[in-house]
Amino acid sequence: MLGGMTAPTFSHELSVASALAREAGALLLAHLRAGFTVEHKTSADDPVTVADREASTLIMTALAAAFPADGLLSEEETDDRARLGHDRVWIVDPIDGTKEFSTGLPDYCVSIGLAVGGEPVLGVVYAPETDELFSGVVGQGVTLNGQPVPAPASGPDWRVAVSDTEHGRELHRTALPGMKPSGSIALKLARIAAAQVDATFTMSPRSEWDIAAGHALLRAAGGDLRRRDGRPVRYNQPRPHVEQGLIGGAPAALNWLEGQLRGHRLPVAHLGLTRADPAWTLLPESDRAALDGHPGVNVRHASGEVLALLVVNPGTRQVERAQGDAFHLERLTRDVTRALGPLQS
């Protein structure tokens, strides 16, 4: 009870989101049976299909009808900035793991989250291939297909869900124990909430729609998700992208993983770096003076060392400066291209 008022249970919201996730999942399976054409947004790593768009329309239309006073944000819809004036905002990824979906792999899901006051409070993640519906509300726990999930593992053999793309390109060369590569980050977070794995991290940035539902599930299970520099993730931001890599998990596993990332010097990208960000202090003093206020400063760093620097004019996508280790510069360029579109050299 707060001020004589009962805290919201979100039971109606959870029921609507769960039904929509299953309905969208059935739509995705129908597209798989019928076949479809794959397009690409910025690169081969960024596909989109008619199934993404149809599932988004289905979910967003129904949410708008059920909750007309709420804001809406979906990866596949034009961003309606009116959402910024709403305290409650639904954040949707109709297919998280489109690359896996489009190549016939099962590791994709429908992700529907609700943020209130910038905090993720409700999450529904549905994996059509395995018919797993993860649902939860912060303060009320998590269920898998209607059944309460187990308690988190107690270690010490932690299971770390990592990006299959990041694993294939560089993580396979590290000695980090317990890595389990997979596709969808929303599904990773849901599986952590259900105690199927214990923690996760990324080197590259993600967007709000990738993580909102999974973050809510993780919080409902007693865990958390945060930026790699330790700061919290806030939702319904003017630019709905988290500018750096993430780390999340059950509390004990999360603490262990943070130490492992430092020990193995595993890098992280930070896009749109500003003087307010902790990583700003890693730049040489001359660069801090020259780049202060520039809207397109992007770095990849590890253990207090800048590995690559890419300065881009966000409006023209013109590269103004590129320096650092060739491998890390290529990784950073990929992240910036995905955020802005093809760059102009």
Side-chain angles (χ1 to χ4, degrees):
M1 301 280 289
L2 293 174
M5 298 181 65
T6 303
T9 63
F10 298 103
S11 58
H12 178 52
E13 288 87 343
L14 196 63
S15 175
V16 170
S18 297
L20 285 174
R22 285 194 178 276
E23 188 176 352
L27 175 66
L28 302 185
L29 292 175
H31 274 288
L32 280 176
R33 290 191 295 268
F36 51 84
T37 300
V38 179
E39 304 169 33
H40 296 92
K41 298 177 184 176
T42 59
S43 71
D45 290 329
D46 196 13
V48 65
T49 71
V50 64
D52 293 80
R53 299 186 178 107
E54 289 187 7
S56 182
T57 299
L58 183 158
I59 295 168
M60 299 293 273
T61 300
L63 287 175
F67 308 105
D70 292 354
L72 299 170
L73 174 65
S74 169
E75 178 177 17
E76 305 305 336
E77 308 290 337
T78 301
D79 187 4
D80 182 356
R81 307 283 286 185
R83 66 179 170 80
L84 298 174
H86 292 269
D87 190 53
R88 290 176 28 130
V89 179
W90 292 91
I91 304 174
V92 174
D93 195 343
I95 310 179
D96 189 56
T98 300
K99 183 177 178 181
E100 286 71 23
F101 172 76
S102 65
T103 54
L105 297 174
D107 193 22
Y108 65 91
C109 67
V110 179
S111 176
I112 303 175
L114 175 64
V116 178
E119 298 282 348
V121 299
L122 176 152
V124 172
V125 170
Y126 180 58
E129 298 283 351
T130 53
D131 190 30
E132 292 174 288
L133 182 74
F134 305 84
S135 59
V137 173
V138 175
Q140 299 175 37
V142 176
T143 63
L144 171 54
N145 290 341
Q147 299 300 311
V149 300
S154 57
D157 297 321
W158 302 112
R159 301 158 295 180
V160 183
V162 299
S163 160
D164 49 9
T165 300
E166 293 181 352
H167 186 269
R169 287 179 171 152
E170 62 187 295
L171 285 177
H172 69 279
R173 300 185 297 189
T174 75
L176 178 69
M179 287 190 291
K180 297 183 177 297
S182 60
S184 161
I185 189 170
L187 196 49
K188 287 182 182 70
L189 296 173
R191 295 199 185 285
I192 296 169
Q196 297 176 4
V197 288
D198 305 306
T200 189
F201 74 97
T202 74
M203 292 181 285
S204 297
R206 296 293 188 271
S207 298
E208 290 188 18
W209 44 75
D210 299 321
I211 59 174
H215 189 180
L217 290 171
L218 194 49
R219 292 183 67 213
D224 199 11
L225 178 75
R226 52 183 177 257
R227 297 165 180 261
R228 285 274 299 274
D229 65 12
R231 292 184 294 172
V233 178
R234 298 282 294 175
Y235 292 86
N236 194 32
Q237 298 300 298
R239 187 173 183 274
H241 306 285
V242 183
E243 303 90 350
Q244 59 181 276
L246 302 161
I247 182 170
L254 181 54
N255 291 338
W256 168 85
L257 181 56
E258 286 188 318
Q260 290 289 315
L261 298 186
R262 288 192 298 270
H264 290 283
R265 300 189 73 248
L266 291 177
V268 60
H270 192 135
L271 310 187
L273 190 69
T274 73
R275 65 186 304 172
D277 298 313
W280 181 259
T281 61
L282 302 181
L283 295 173
E285 187 175 351
S286 58
D287 282 346
R288 279 180 268 162
L291 298 173
D292 192 10
H294 194 295
V297 180
N298 310 286
V299 299
R300 200 172 205 243
H301 64 91
S303 300
E305 177 187 359
V306 174
L307 305 171
L309 170 69
L310 186 65
V311 181
V312 178
N313 182 316
T316 64
R317 301 199 297 270
Q318 185 74 37
V319 175
E320 298 177 359
R321 184 173 165 191
Q323 68 183 62
D325 174 86
F327 175 82
H328 293 292
L329 185 58
E330 189 276 332
R331 297 289 88 223
L332 180 60
T333 300
R334 173 182 172 273
D335 289 336
V336 175
T337 297
R338 187 158 188 174
L340 298 180
L343 303 182
Q344 306 298 318
S345 57

